[in-house]
Amino acid sequence: MNIDDDNGNTLATVIRFKDIHSGKNFITDNQSEFQLASFGLEENTVIERHYHPNQNRDIVKTTEVLVVLNGELMIEIYDNDLNFVDQVLLEEKDTIALIDGGHGITCNTETKFIEVKQGPYKEDIDKKRF
């Protein structure tokens, strides 16, 4: 499920655990700065050995991915002008990629989650509060 602004720009993508189906399911396209996929693979499936060689890439924004291990997160989504667009409740095993715009996060219960984002990260220039 994508959350888009009025211009059709994707601000966030949500993967509900219950919606993960069989196979490799890439949610983002190959041109996206950050790639997101869900996998529902059969027992004994093998993903062939591989590595990712060094590449020079132009990355202009920081994308965050949150994976809820337990508990609940309420995520507020804002567009690039910092106008409220939507909110989404994440429950255990749900995932969200915060791709563009702004966001706020509230823990509705005691919550454990994992955050993944590009680095290097310098909070004084990579995070602006509003």
Side-chain angles (χ1 to χ4, degrees):
M1 168 181 86
N2 283 343
I3 299 171
D4 299 333
D5 65 14
D6 290 339
N7 297 317
N9 300 309
T10 299
L11 302 172
T13 298
V14 177
I15 301 174
R16 300 276 184 210
F17 179 76
K18 65 180 176 63
D19 295 332
I20 296 174
H21 57 276
S22 296
K24 299 176 184 178
N25 307 288
F26 282 87
I27 287 88
T28 53
D29 59 45
N30 285 339
Q31 288 70 42
S32 297
E33 286 185 358
F34 199 89
Q35 302 294 306
L36 186 65
S38 66
F39 290 73
L41 303 178
E42 300 285 327
E43 182 177 351
N44 296 319
T45 298
V46 174
I47 298 173
E48 293 183 24
R49 292 184 305 229
H50 66 284
Y51 73 100
H52 302 276
N54 291 345
Q55 302 289 331
N56 288 323
R57 292 187 166 96
D58 250 345
I59 297 175
V60 297
K61 56 188 158 193
T62 301
T63 299
E64 290 181 52
V65 173
L66 307 178
V67 180
V68 179
L69 303 176
N70 66 21
E72 291 182 353
L73 294 178
M74 181 63 74
I75 311 293
E76 295 176 339
I77 307 295
Y78 297 84
D79 65 17
N80 287 318
D81 294 322
L82 307 180
N83 298 307
F84 177 80
V85 173
D86 203 352
Q87 65 181 10
V88 61
L89 178 66
L90 298 181
E91 298 174 315
E92 184 175 318
K93 300 181 184 176
D94 288 343
T95 300
I96 190 168
L98 300 163
I99 297 167
D100 209 355
H103 54 274
I105 302 168
T106 301
C107 296
N108 286 350
T109 63
E110 184 175 322
T111 304
K112 291 183 181 178
F113 65 96
I114 294 171
E115 177 183 281
V116 180
K117 63 184 165 207
Q118 298 108 317
Y121 184 78
K122 296 180 180 178
E123 189 164 346
D124 58 327
I125 61 172
D126 286 326
K127 182 183 246 181
K128 302 292 181 194
R129 291 175 172 82
F130 63 98

